[in-house]
Amino acid sequence: MDIPGKVSLYCSLVDAKGTAAKLIAVNPEGFYHLEVAIKGRLHTMFVPIAQAALYFTEPEPDIEADSGFEVER
């Protein structure tokens, strides 16, 4: 995952249900630092990690089966 990166935000505190955002940083005090477009303007938002879920909109690249990559179990 690359930061900054495009994410979808789910957080009941701000009534976000899949809201498009850009993750700028993960704050050591327990907040996601996001940029969100609201009514055509860019806003900075700090959302508590414990009350939010987000996922990167770009999928991870596929790993080739014969690349020699193994998961240790």
Side-chain angles (χ1 to χ4, degrees), residues 22-42:
K22 182 191 281 188
L23 176 63
I24 302 301
V26 179
N27 187 303
E29 286 82 21
F31 294 90
Y32 292 122
H33 175 181
L34 304 166
E35 288 183 350
V36 182
I38 301 172
K39 297 183 181 179
R41 302 204 49 197
L42 197 58

Side-chain angles (χ1 to χ4, degrees), residues 4-65:
K6 294 179 182 180
V7 297
S8 289
L9 169 67
Y10 295 85
C11 179
S12 61
L13 290 173
V14 293
D15 198 29
K17 299 174 185 165
T19 302
K22 182 191 281 188
L23 176 63
I24 302 301
V26 179
N27 187 303
E29 286 82 21
F31 294 90
Y32 292 122
H33 175 181
L34 304 166
E35 288 183 350
V36 182
I38 301 172
K39 297 183 181 179
R41 302 204 49 197
L42 197 58
H43 296 266
T44 297
M45 186 179 292
F46 294 95
V47 179
I49 292 171
Q51 297 184 20
L54 53 86
Y55 69 88
F56 284 84
T57 56
E58 294 295 320
E60 293 293 322
D62 291 334
I63 298 173
E64 296 179 21

